Each structure stands twice: as structure tokens, then as C-alpha cells.
Amino acid sequence: MTAPPNWSQAAGNAWVELQDLMDGLYQPIAETLITTAFPGEGGAVLDIGCGAGTTTLQMARRLGPLGRAAGVDISAPLLEAARAGAEAQGIANATFLQGDAQTLDLGTAAYEAAISRFGVMFFADFDSAFANLRRALKPGGRLAFACWRSPADNPLASAPLEAAAPFLPPIPQADPDAPGRWAFADPDRVRGILTRSGWRDIEIAPLDVPTPIALDDLMRLTFRLGALPPLLQQADAATREKVHAAVAERLASYEVEGVVPMTAACWRVTARG
Ligand SMILES: C[S@@+](CC[C@H](N)C(=O)[O-])C[C@H]1O[C@@H](n2cnc3c(N)ncnc32)[C@H](O)[C@@H]1O
């Protein structure tokens, strides 16, 4: 099994570096979640695994000066970027909390709603994490999050590993239930976790977002984030070069008129506390 991302080091720093690119790709997902969970001006909303705070800040703006948005994240570098963003944009009604959202005291009935763009698939114990999150919401409060469907539904995510594999030691089969990007690929599993942790009115629907991307940008993402960078840590320069060439050739095969027509195949999950 590959090691889980270290959000306060390599993975967190890579997200900070690539945040503008990610935000461009995934803005339609932010929009969907914010619109779905918006409790009205003056409300209070929690953003789980908020990263560099893009969705928290957008929600804060939508809630207006009498509302408040709080982002929670485990990663110091990402929260530093989030706080800097709030300051640069002059947003005073957003706060950021550092900690593991599975165990951190998020208050009781403190929020009307919670959102998360790709921030809820990394908990060590999903049932207790979602019970903790539910406690933080007022009864009937709205949860709306986006998570990834399977690697088979997102073939461009696994293409780099397939291209790199001939040059690397055998890549161990990933455990589909392990915390990580694909942990919520199975909607029955997600429904089970939410049901056991007390959520109701659970709805899980496909969310397919076109994310066309320039080949150079896709190469940057591939070599900074996800499964490939940790596998290349021990590789020598010649191996890295071969992997780079093989991955570039593979990804270029998807290119149409200078753009790789990628789609983010996700689930849009909603529930009430
Ligand atoms: C894929 S990133 C998404 C970031 C952000 N939501 C966005 O859309 O840009 C996942 C985020 O979840 C955070 N995270 C991972 N495990 C966490 C945990 N146990 N508690 C709180 N945040 C966590 C990471 O630090 C990271 O910022």
C-alpha cells in the first residue's frame, strides 16, 4: 500500500503550490456545494478539510457580514495560505481551525451547514469522524460534500501509474477501503458510514465536471500530487527520466487541440444532521 498523504509536508506544500490550478479546475464543484448547503445570509457554515480556504472564503462572502464560515484542516501550510487569502481579500467573517476533524472539538450545534470539496476521505475512523461532524451541526443541518468516484470512472488518474509501472518496482495493489482519494468510491460504503453516524435524508448522485487541462499543467499535477511522487522518491535520475517520458507520451495521447479533455467523475453527497 502506498503511504497516505502527509498534509503538513509534501502533499500540503504541493497543494499550496498548485492551488490556483486546482481552484480553476474545481470551481464548478465549489459552486454546487455552496449553493446546495447555503443556509441563508447570516448563517454559520463549517468547511471540512478546507485546505487553502477557497470554498470557505467563497461561502463567507455569500453568508455576508452577519454570517460566518469556519474552515477546519489538519495541514499547517494550507491553513497559512487560507489565512493569507482571507487577509488579502479583506474577508473578516472566515476563521480557520487546525486539527483532525475526526476528533477536534468543533462545538455542539454550532453550524447550520457543512461543506467539503474532497476533504472527507482521509479520516482514520470514518464513523467517528462523521459523528463528530454531525455533533457540530444544528439538528436538521445540511451536509454537502464532493468525493471521487472510482479510478475506473477517472481513467486519467490511473494512466500515469500504468505508464510508469514498467520502470518501477512492482506497485502494490491499493486497498480501496484505506483512507485516501478513492475511499468513498463505493456509494454503499458512504451511505453506511453516514447512516451509522446518525445522518438522515442521505442522497448520493453522480457529479461529472468537465476539467479540460493543458498537457503541461496535467504533467505538473501528476508529478507533484497523488500516487506517483512517493513512488519516485527512491528512483534514480535515469529512471525518473524514463518515467517522465513515458507518462508524457501517455498523457499526450489524450490531447485534443492542445487540451486534455479530462472529466472529474465525483459523487455529490448530501444529508441532514
Ligand atoms: C484534497 S485536499 C482538498 C482541499 C480543499 N477542500 C480544496 O478543495 O481545495 C484534502 C484536504 O483535507 C485535509 N485533511 C486531510 N485529513 C484531514 C483530517 N483528518 N482533518 C482535517 N483535514 C484533513 C488536507 O489537509 C487537505 O487540505
Side-chain angles (χ1 to χ4, degrees):
M1 198 178 26
T2 50
N6 186 332
W7 293 107
S8 276
Q9 294 178 15
N13 291 329
W15 266 83
V16 171
E17 184 189 313
L18 297 167
Q19 193 66 41
D20 288 349
L21 177 55
M22 301 292 208
D23 283 342
L25 292 173
Y26 302 140
Q27 178 54 30
I29 299 176
E31 194 55 47
T32 296
L33 299 175
I34 290 168
T35 303
T36 304
F38 184 62
E41 281 188 30
V45 177
L46 180 67
D47 185 359
I48 309 149
C50 65
T54 305
T55 46
T56 322
L57 297 179
Q58 289 181 13
M59 182 58 103
R61 215 179 275 118
R62 191 85 63 99
L63 291 166
L66 298 179
R68 66 187 173 93
V72 57
D73 203 283
I74 206 164
S75 163
L78 279 161
L79 287 176
E80 199 180 310
R83 292 188 180 110
E87 200 174 326
Q89 295 175 46
I91 296 179
N93 62 335
T95 50
F96 294 98
L97 316 164
Q98 187 177 359
D100 183 340
Q102 178 180 317
T103 49
L104 190 69
D105 181 357
L106 297 164
T108 301
Y111 301 94
E112 269 99 36
I115 56 170
S116 182
R117 185 176 67 174
F118 303 140
V120 290
M121 303 92 83
F122 305 97
F123 299 119
D125 178 337
F126 289 112
D127 288 11
S128 71
F130 275 90
N132 193 41
L133 295 168
R134 191 173 66 84
R135 238 183 329 270
L137 257 60
K138 295 189 171 134
R142 195 86 192 262
L143 171 69
F145 68 81
C147 57
W148 292 97
R149 300 214 299 279
S150 69
D153 289 327
N154 289 280
L156 268 163
S158 32
L161 274 194
E162 288 161 17
F167 308 101
L168 297 173
I171 301 171
Q173 194 72 33
D175 171 1
D177 285 344
R181 179 176 179 180
W182 307 112
F184 280 9
D186 176 358
D188 291 339
R189 181 180 198 216
V190 178
R191 190 175 291 280
I193 290 166
L194 291 176
T195 304
R196 286 192 299 277
S197 51
W199 296 87
R200 59 192 174 80
D201 298 346
I202 301 160
E203 287 179 21
I204 305 177
L207 173 65
D208 290 289
V209 178
T211 52
I213 184 169
L215 182 59
D216 283 357
D217 286 337
L218 183 53
M219 286 292 285
R220 275 170 66 215
L221 286 188
T222 302
F223 282 89
R224 290 291 283 127
L225 282 176
L228 193 53
L231 295 172
L232 287 175
Q233 258 167 13
Q234 310 298 333
D236 58 28
T239 305
R240 283 165 182 271
E241 221 168 278
K242 282 182 209 155
V243 167
H244 196 276
V247 172
E249 188 184 342
R250 178 67 179 270
L251 294 181
S253 72
Y254 294 93
E255 204 180 17
V256 181
E257 293 172 6
V259 172
V260 178
M262 203 160 58
T263 295
C266 309
W267 296 118
R268 171 186 173 278
V269 180
T270 56
R272 288 202 181 271

